[in-house]
Amino acid sequence: MTERDRSTTHPHPDRPTRAFRWATLATTILALAFLGLGVVDPPRAHDTTGGGFAPATSAMWIVRIVIAAGAGVCFLLGPGIVWRRIRPRGLISNTAFLWIPGAVYLFVAGLVAWGLAHYGDPAITTALLLLPVPVAVLVCVRQWTPHLVPTQERTAIALFLLVFSVGVGVSVWSQGPEGELYGGTISRTLEAGPRSDSRISYHVIELLAHGDSPYSAIGASYYAPYNFYARGPLAGLGAGAVVMAGHASPERAAPEAPWEPFDRQGFMTYRIMMMLMNATAVLAAFGLASTFLRPRFAVAAAALVALSPFVVYQTYFTWPKLLAASYTLAAAVALVRRRPLVAGLLLGLGYLAHPSTLFAVPSLLLALLVLRQQGVPLLSSSSMEGGAACVGPPGFVRWCRDAVVAAIGLGAVYYAWQLANAGHVVNYFSDYLSSAYGHIHASPHDWVNSRLDLTANTFVPFRQAFTDAHDRFTNVVGGRSPFLVRVGEQWRGTVTVAVGLIYLPMFVYGFVRFARRAWLLAVVMFLLPVLSLIVFWGANTTGLLQEGLHATFLLALLASFVGHTALPHSRVVGRWVRVSATARIVEIAFIVGGPTIATTGLLGGGVFRVTDVFALALLVASGVSLVVISWRAFAPDRVGTVDVATASRS
């Protein structure tokens, strides 16, 4: 009997189930409060230049942030819970899909409000469209059954929320590293360097708020030197639905008003929604792992992902690449479950989040072919979930049919996007192929050298910080960042650092073990996309990971997990994995706070002192909770060990 079967046999839910039910009820109340507060008391700007202590203002900021965060959780996960209550079977039963109905609903709500902006206030339109979500969730809470959110899935959701909480803590903290881009404004990027990508999706919200065309003069100014077609709208419209429902007031200008923890223009609400959507990578990883592994192993895999420094960083740097990776992993689950059309549509949605999704498509389809031909013999019976047999029987013809159907789903979304931007379709990114060091049509010598530098910076720890210390992409605009700031940026682009330096030996051990048992799967899932992106990427050499390998990174973590934990392993290996995977919280603490504290200090001015304390307390509490869950998830009685001598005799 499975965990889910056991949970449905008890007429009275246990204490954790009741606690999760009450937590769900709390988010619905916060969602209703968010919609009501937007009408009664819309967000407004405050004077933060005086520097005096303002307890009432600080308390208001904190209350607004908590309400917006709870509402965002309800709007994102609520539709999935409702759908699961109506139709408990099918793909929605997999955690990788729990958030997708909500994300799609938010996208559609934002799109409808934008289309009707000249006929009605987008704030009213979005509020009316989002109001049914908490109401429907309230009905589900009243008719709660344990199978709605099984035990192991609750742990995965807790990990998802804790990663999100770390992002909220960083965003509320008034301090940032020296040279932070747009520092002191509401759109501060939380890092030094020239990348403005974290606020690109917000421009969709500005278009939505005023009903402007993306190809009008004002719309074109938002995206120059690119245009709207080059930037996927899915994340911005999804976040924009919540921003406008809270009656924020985005302006027709760059979002550079003086920074405050919760602003009138809705940028903090935008951050909250973007971080929530990025953190779904934890849910997607758990869902994919649970397709092949037993739930207790899938929880450990999700903990491995949640405590990865790269995942945490990419959650609070609000560009939609991690969201695109979540759609990619969900598409992988759909392919394995023989739902190719759904998989293609999900890949299309991932493309609308960020075009980097396209790099993962050949790998997914070829990996499916390998699984169809070889199955999953590399997994041990103790770790394998009974549902792993859903890979299906071998058959090249059947794979061809599924690949074509998936391509039709992806092609439909891709073609619709081309039609929506007819007359403005411009291929801005093909020049990357012939570029070197950001220069178009470089010489063959520079092209080769740039790819060698890119490869080295992608895999050699801290090479970028020393060898390419003057690179403009790792320094403050027009100047030189402090050494510690440049070191902190290595966790975003170098694979061997991004997994966590403490965990790196076990990552390599697990990945090699996986590759030895499934070398062809490793080639198509990892070597193919890495080589493709190395050849393509000529914009810079700061490390390939952050440029489009988000889905590949998540899959590599899961592959390494299979190698060192899902497969039979010794007690020594299990102990080292448990310690090293959990100890990465030290590295997360460093990249979140080390460069900032060293260069600008721990607490800001008097007006932000209370919110800074709140932010730091949230960071500490979230970090400790992540450690506790990870430590328990990798306990020997959960993931098991095997005596080496016994294993060799068997």
Side-chain angles (χ1 to χ4, degrees):
M1 182 181 293
T2 65
E3 179 72 27
R4 180 168 293 184
D5 293 334
R6 285 194 297 270
S7 67
T8 58
T9 59
H10 298 291
H12 302 292
D14 55 16
R15 184 176 298 176
T17 301
R18 291 197 300 270
F20 193 88
R21 179 183 178 182
W22 281 108
T24 305
L25 177 62
T27 63
T28 61
I29 293 174
L30 290 175
L32 293 172
F34 177 80
L35 296 175
L37 191 61
V39 176
V40 176
D41 185 19
R44 58 184 183 274
H46 298 82
D47 182 11
T48 59
T49 59
F53 182 63
T57 302
S58 299
M60 183 275 300
W61 279 330
I62 294 173
V63 169
R64 291 263 191 188
I65 290 166
V66 171
I67 290 176
V73 173
C74 179
F75 293 137
L76 185 62
L77 299 187
I81 292 176
V82 173
W83 191 339
R84 187 179 283 182
R85 180 68 180 83
I86 297 172
R87 296 190 62 182
R89 298 186 181 276
L91 289 176
I92 194 63
S93 64
N94 187 289
T95 311
F97 294 88
L98 182 63
W99 58 275
I100 289 176
V104 174
Y105 186 84
L106 289 173
F107 169 64
V108 173
L111 189 63
V112 170
W114 189 11
L116 298 178
H118 293 296
Y119 304 97
D121 187 350
I124 297 176
T125 304
T126 52
L128 291 176
L129 289 172
L130 296 188
L131 179 60
V133 173
V135 173
V137 175
L138 281 175
V139 174
C140 287
V141 170
R142 292 186 58 188
Q143 301 176 355
W144 193 271
T145 55
H147 79 272
L148 276 178
V149 185
T151 302
Q152 306 293 348
E153 186 177 74
R154 290 199 294 267
T155 306
I157 293 175
L159 289 167
F160 153 75
L161 293 176
L162 288 171
V163 171
F164 163 65
S165 296
V166 171
V168 173
V170 176
S171 302
V172 175
W173 192 17
S174 68
Q175 301 295 84
E178 182 180 318
E180 178 186 27
L181 187 61
Y182 307 128
T185 73
I186 58 174
S187 61
R188 48 192 285 254
T189 62
L190 311 178
E191 69 164 27
R195 293 180 181 271
S196 61
D197 303 72
S198 64
R199 75 179 192 180
I200 293 297
S201 294
Y202 181 80
H203 294 316
V204 183
I205 302 176
E206 294 177 305
L207 296 173
L208 162 63
H210 301 283
D212 292 331
S213 166
Y215 298 110
S216 63
I218 186 66
S221 69
Y222 293 152
Y223 297 98
Y226 303 103
N227 69 2
F228 177 70
Y229 167 77
R231 305 289 188 174
L234 188 142
L237 284 175
V242 180
V243 169
M244 296 311 302
H247 284 254
S249 303
E251 298 178 356
R252 282 191 175 100
E256 296 177 7
W259 185 83
E260 55 181 304
F262 196 89
D263 56 278
R264 181 180 67 88
Q265 296 185 36
F267 203 92
M268 184 58 192
T269 305
Y270 157 77
R271 284 192 197 274
I272 286 171
M273 293 309 304
M274 292 292 290
M275 290 186 295
L276 273 171
M277 289 187 282
N278 282 338
T280 56
V282 177
L283 300 180
F286 174 82
L288 181 58
S290 63
T291 303
F292 297 97
L293 304 173
R294 295 187 184 280
R296 65 179 186 273
F297 284 86
V299 168
L304 186 67
V305 170
L307 266 173
S308 297
F310 177 75
V311 171
V312 173
Y313 168 78
Q314 293 293 290
T315 295
Y316 68 76
F317 187 76
T318 51
W319 57 4
K321 290 185 177 182
L322 206 54
L323 171 62
S326 298
Y327 277 108
T328 302
L329 266 60
V333 176
L335 283 173
V336 170
R337 294 287 183 89
R338 300 256 6 247
R339 304 292 288 275
L341 182 60
V342 174
L345 293 174
L346 290 173
L347 290 171
L349 291 175
Y351 167 74
L352 292 182
H354 196 275
S356 61
T357 300
L358 297 180
F359 278 99
V361 174
S363 298
L364 285 186
L365 294 178
L366 291 175
L368 178 65
L369 176 61
V370 174
L371 288 175
R372 288 280 171 83
Q373 297 297 327
Q374 300 181 0
V376 283
L378 71 160
L379 297 180
S380 67
S381 59
S382 64
S383 63
M384 183 182 290
E385 175 62 67
C390 66
V391 169
F396 181 73
V397 174
R398 179 170 292 180
W399 172 83
C400 288
R401 184 179 64 185
D402 287 351
V404 169
V405 173
I408 291 173
L410 171 59
V413 177
Y414 182 85
Y415 184 64
W417 183 236
Q418 305 293 307
L419 288 180
N421 294 273
H424 304 281
V425 176
V426 181
N427 188 354
Y428 288 100
F429 304 112
S430 60
D431 287 338
Y432 289 161
L433 185 61
S434 61
S435 299
Y437 303 109
H439 302 297
I440 301 175
H441 305 307
S443 67
H445 179 267
D446 287 343
W447 192 96
V448 172
N449 285 341
S450 71
R451 267 53 180 187
L452 292 175
D453 287 342
L454 177 62
T455 304
N457 289 336
T458 300
F459 294 103
V460 179
F462 300 109
R463 179 186 184 275
Q464 174 71 50
F466 291 96
T467 305
D468 294 335
H470 295 276
D471 191 289
R472 68 184 183 90
F473 282 96
T474 57
N475 286 282
V476 61
V477 178
R480 182 80 177 272
S481 293
F483 174 73
L484 199 61
V485 173
R486 296 199 310 274
V487 168
E489 293 174 350
Q490 299 305 294
W491 275 265
R492 72 186 187 189
T494 306
V495 175
T496 48
V497 182
V499 297
L501 285 171
I502 300 173
Y503 166 69
L504 178 60
M506 300 316 303
F507 171 80
V508 173
Y509 168 80
F511 189 85
V512 170
R513 203 165 178 229
F514 172 90
R516 288 181 61 186
R517 294 199 175 212
W519 67 270
L520 187 56
L521 194 60
V523 167
V524 300
M525 287 178 60
F526 307 111
L527 187 60
L528 178 62
V530 169
L531 289 179
S532 299
L533 199 53
I534 286 174
V535 171
F536 172 77
W537 191 254
N540 57 60
T541 60
T542 56
L544 200 61
L545 183 56
Q546 64 188 336
E547 308 303 347
L549 289 181
H550 295 66
T552 304
F553 177 81
L554 297 176
L555 291 171
L557 283 176
L558 296 180
S560 182
F561 175 83
V562 168
H564 60 53
T565 298
L567 290 173
H569 54 279
S570 68
R571 292 180 178 86
V572 173
V573 169
R575 188 178 300 117
W576 276 108
V577 169
R578 189 185 192 190
V579 171
S580 62
T582 305
R584 291 177 300 167
I585 192 65
V586 176
E587 297 179 56
I588 292 174
F590 172 75
I591 63 173
V592 164
T596 295
I597 295 174
T599 57
T600 61
L602 183 64
L603 297 176
V607 69
F608 298 132
R609 195 163 295 269
V610 173
T611 51
D612 280 355
V613 171
F614 168 77
L616 294 172
L618 184 60
L619 287 171
V620 171
S622 301
V624 170
S625 300
L626 282 170
V627 166
V628 170
I629 294 178
S630 175
W631 187 256
R632 291 177 177 175
F634 281 98
D637 61 334
R638 293 177 181 268
V639 296
T641 59
V642 62
D643 185 81
V644 176
T646 303
S648 62
R649 287 195 299 270
S650 62

